[in-house]
Amino acid sequence: GTLLFEKMPSISYRLTAEWVSRYGSKAVVKTTVTEDTVIVMPVYDVVLRLLSPSGRPLKNADAYLQGVYLGKTDANGEVSASQVPQGNYTVSAKWLDSDLVFQKIEVATSREITVTPSNVHCLTIMVKGAQGQALEGAGVVITRDGFELARVLTDKGGNAQVELPDGEYAVEVSYGQFIGRKQVSLTRDTFARFDLDVFIEILGVGMTLSQTILLILALMIVVIA
């Protein structure tokens, strides 16, 4: 970053320094010099941190600054952008095969900048049994165009939450032999309830009402016999 002017008369000079970054933006400094001078350009290193609306890191997202590929975000949702001139920039990313939409950012110093996409929302899945009981440990698989995007288990309340980009998804829930399927359109925070025909569990095995009645009758016959 050094430039040498030789045999210069000892007077003041008006110096303009310009540098164009790989993002297409320009850093410019105009100053007066009389001797050897260090010029500090308004160029900064920033860390972009991509978070979901709930504050969860968006891991393994392909991140771009002004259309220039920066790499994949790490476990904290972070990726670095080096030598960025002062100014406003467009951040974009591709996550779970969807384009994410962000607000523009302003770079004025070296720092961490947190950005949150406007087109990522929360899908809440509730899984209930035939008596309205919560089914803990039900498996939830979310796919789109045949590709699996998420796999989670329901909690004690029978609920599971997944944050996804807006789009159309196939949701399948399973609890033992019981399976439920739905198509979900996600354009905002969305709730989807699944009612499975699980009347009661005996020794960890879910049973329907008719299966429960047959089991009781069978036990009564055995007792009578």
Side-chain angles (χ1 to χ4, degrees):
T2 299
L3 178 64
L4 177 65
F5 296 94
E6 295 184 295
K7 300 179 180 179
M8 302 291 289
S10 183
I11 59 175
S12 296
Y13 294 90
R14 185 65 175 170
L15 187 145
T16 300
E18 296 183 357
W19 179 75
V20 179
S21 72
R22 63 177 181 143
Y23 312 104
S25 52
K26 183 186 293 185
V28 180
V29 170
K30 295 182 179 181
T31 185
T32 300
V33 298
T34 57
E35 56 186 9
D36 291 351
T37 303
V38 175
I39 299 174
V40 179
M41 304 290 286
V43 175
Y44 308 101
D45 294 336
V46 297
V47 174
L48 297 177
R49 192 176 186 208
L50 279 58
L51 299 181
S52 71
S54 70
R56 297 175 182 171
L58 299 180
K59 299 181 288 186
N60 295 319
D62 290 304
Y64 300 81
L65 184 67
Q66 211 67 18
V68 177
Y69 183 60
L70 302 177
K72 288 187 177 293
T73 55
D74 61 18
N76 296 317
E78 295 180 352
V79 66
S80 297
S82 60
Q83 293 187 322
V84 184
Q86 180 178 349
N88 296 317
Y89 294 87
T90 298
V91 177
S92 58
K94 201 170 189 68
W95 182 62
L96 297 181
D97 205 31
S98 294
D99 294 321
L100 302 185
V101 178
F102 299 92
Q103 296 288 335
K104 281 197 170 186
I105 64 168
E106 180 182 4
V107 176
T109 185
S110 295
R111 63 188 181 98
E112 181 182 283
I113 301 176
T114 298
V115 291
T116 299
S118 60
N119 61 330
V120 170
H121 290 98
C122 182
L123 174 60
T124 301
I125 298 101
M126 175 184 286
V127 185
K128 296 288 188 179
Q131 301 186 76
Q133 74 275 29
L135 296 180
E136 180 184 1
V140 179
V141 178
I142 300 174
T143 60
R144 183 175 60 192
D145 299 328
F147 294 96
E148 182 180 314
L149 299 179
R151 181 183 291 265
V152 293
L153 296 175
T154 55
D155 59 19
K156 290 183 178 180
N159 300 314
Q161 288 188 333
V162 180
E163 287 182 295
L164 298 164
D166 291 353
E168 301 290 329
Y169 297 94
V171 182
E172 178 181 288
V173 301
S174 59
Y175 191 80
Q177 61 179 314
F178 303 93
I179 296 176
R181 297 183 179 90
K182 282 184 181 180
Q183 290 292 128
V184 176
S185 179
L186 190 66
T187 57
R188 59 179 184 269
D189 290 348
T190 302
F191 174 83
R193 173 168 172 155
F194 289 79
D195 293 296
L196 301 182
D197 197 18
V198 182
F199 182 75
I200 195 172
E201 283 188 77
I202 298 177
L203 299 177
V205 178
M207 304 182 71
T208 64
L209 177 59
S210 59
Q211 289 172 333
T212 304
I213 293 173
L214 288 174
L215 177 61
I216 293 173
L217 291 175
L219 292 173
M220 291 175 63
I221 291 173
V222 169
V223 171
I224 293 171

